[in-house]
């Protein structure tokens, strides 16, 4: 099963990560037939759960809490082999827009902020925080964090979880900026438009509680919404207040 796909618009190539424990690079402009379009196949230690790209770096997060960092110019072996600083299964990895590191989320309702620079000074900046949790009857209920998306201009980021919420964070100041209204089902994916004015939110049951009928996943009609097979894709135009203008360094 192909779990994730990245399109490299500059060079017109595609990178895929799969549960067959490989990352593959493709050139869709080639002639038909796998042998002519497959550029390279790179074995991973476990099933691939998430991919992210920034500059010439590709970050691969797999089962078993493995994280491999590759240089696109030499994919023969990772330039860094890491282990997630989170204790449980990885759900998503996304690189910082400035290219200095990546954010990693897990099923335990946590996000880790990591840096590529292995110096002691750089590693001292990394941290992890709890999110997408709630207290009920004196107990903490923890939800997987399925999605992370960085704003391309401001560097703030959004997270989406199985609690049905999308939160926006200021990673530098370590605080939450905004929370969207709750969705009727889990947040499956997030993505900002290139100019940062639009945030696409995919809401879909992610089978964290096993099989359920699709008619449980209805969503009330809203502008710019598309419902497909029980999934909802909503695009929000970010108004100034929600557009992170309370982040001092973004003014």
């Amino acid at each position: 099963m192909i779990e994730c796909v990245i399109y490299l618009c500059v060079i017109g190539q595609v990178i895929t990560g799969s549960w067959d424990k490989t990352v593959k690079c493709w050139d869709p402009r080639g002639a038909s037939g796998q042998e002519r379009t497959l550029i390279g196949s790179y074995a991973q230690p476990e099933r691939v759960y998430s991919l992210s790209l920034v500059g010439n770096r590709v970050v691969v997060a797999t089962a078993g809490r493995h994280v491999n960092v590759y240089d696109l110019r030499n994919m023969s072996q990772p330039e860094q082999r890491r282990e997630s600083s989170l204790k449980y299964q990885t759900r998503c990895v996304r690189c910082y827009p400035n290219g200095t590191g990546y954010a990693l989320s897990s099923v335990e309702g946590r996000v880790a902020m990591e840096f590529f620079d292995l110096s002691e000074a750089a590693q001292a900046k990394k941290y992890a925080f709890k999110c997408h949790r709630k207290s009920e009857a004196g107990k903490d209920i923890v939800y997987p964090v399925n999605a992370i998306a960085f704003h391309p201009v401001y560097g703030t980021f959004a997270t989406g979880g199985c609690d049905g919420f999308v939160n926006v964070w200021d990673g530098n100041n370590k605080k939450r900026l905004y929370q969207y209204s709750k969705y009727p089902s889990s947040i499956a994916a997030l993505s900002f438009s290139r100019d940062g004015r639009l945030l696409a939110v995919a809401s879909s049951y992610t089978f964290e509680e096993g099989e359920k009928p699709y008619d449980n996943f209805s969503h009330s009609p809203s502008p710019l919404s598309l419902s497909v097979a029980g999934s909802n894709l909503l695009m929000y135009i970010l108004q100034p207040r929600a557009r992170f203008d309370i982040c001092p360094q973004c003014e």
Side-chain angles (χ1 to χ4, degrees):
M1 181 180 79
I2 295 177
E3 180 70 17
C4 36
V5 179
I6 297 177
Y7 176 65
L8 309 178
C9 57
V10 176
I11 59 177
Q13 293 181 6
V14 173
I15 301 177
T16 59
S18 172
W19 280 25
D20 66 359
K21 303 182 183 180
T22 65
V23 168
K24 294 183 179 180
C25 296
W26 309 82
D27 187 347
R29 300 165 298 181
S32 61
Q34 178 170 317
E35 295 78 10
R36 300 179 186 179
T37 59
L38 179 62
I39 299 172
S41 181
Y42 310 100
Q44 301 301 308
E46 255 294 354
R47 302 180 305 279
V48 177
Y49 285 159
S50 188
L51 294 173
S52 188
L53 171 74
V54 62
N56 289 315
R57 279 197 169 110
V58 178
V59 181
V60 183
T62 77
R65 300 170 50 242
H66 299 286
V67 179
N68 285 340
V69 182
Y70 288 88
D71 187 325
L72 268 177
R73 297 163 294 187
N74 180 14
M75 293 282 289
S76 59
Q77 61 180 1
E79 64 175 15
Q80 294 182 21
R81 299 178 192 268
R82 296 190 175 195
E83 182 177 83
S84 169
S85 58
L86 304 179
K87 295 180 180 179
Y88 299 98
Q89 182 188 96
T90 300
R91 276 293 173 93
C92 183
V93 64
R94 289 295 179 267
C95 294
Y96 306 158
N98 64 11
T100 61
Y102 59 89
L104 190 81
S105 69
S106 76
V107 298
E108 61 176 318
R110 286 179 186 266
V111 173
M113 310 299 288
E114 303 280 354
F115 294 88
F116 294 126
D117 186 346
L118 297 177
S119 69
E120 186 176 343
Q123 291 302 301
K125 299 181 200 175
K126 70 179 185 179
Y127 66 94
F129 64 94
K130 298 177 182 179
C131 54
H132 298 278
R133 299 175 175 219
K134 71 177 182 180
S135 294
E136 196 170 274
K139 295 181 180 180
D140 280 339
I141 300 176
V142 180
Y143 296 92
V145 184
N146 298 324
I148 303 171
F150 278 90
H151 193 280
V153 178
Y154 300 118
T156 45
F157 62 98
T159 60
C162 285
D163 58 352
F165 284 106
V166 175
N167 295 320
V168 179
W169 307 88
D170 177 351
N172 292 331
N173 293 309
K174 302 180 182 179
K175 66 178 182 179
R176 188 174 72 183
L177 302 179
Y178 190 80
Q179 183 178 76
Y180 288 100
S181 300
K182 186 176 181 179
Y183 285 78
S185 55
S186 301
I187 305 303
L190 297 169
S191 184
F192 282 101
S193 61
R194 182 171 294 186
D195 63 5
R197 292 186 63 249
L198 298 175
L199 173 62
V201 182
S203 172
S204 175
Y205 180 57
T206 54
F207 294 89
E208 63 272 10
E209 297 178 8
E211 292 284 348
K212 283 187 177 182
Y214 279 118
D215 57 10
N216 286 347
F217 312 141
S218 61
H219 195 285
S220 57
S222 62
L224 296 174
S225 71
L226 174 66
S227 295
V228 181
S231 299
N232 303 300
L233 178 65
L234 289 92
M235 298 179 70
Y236 286 96
I237 298 178
L238 302 181
Q239 300 302 322
R241 183 169 182 178
R243 202 189 57 187
F244 325 124
D245 63 348
I246 57 177
C247 180
Q249 70 267 34
C250 297
E251 293 293 328

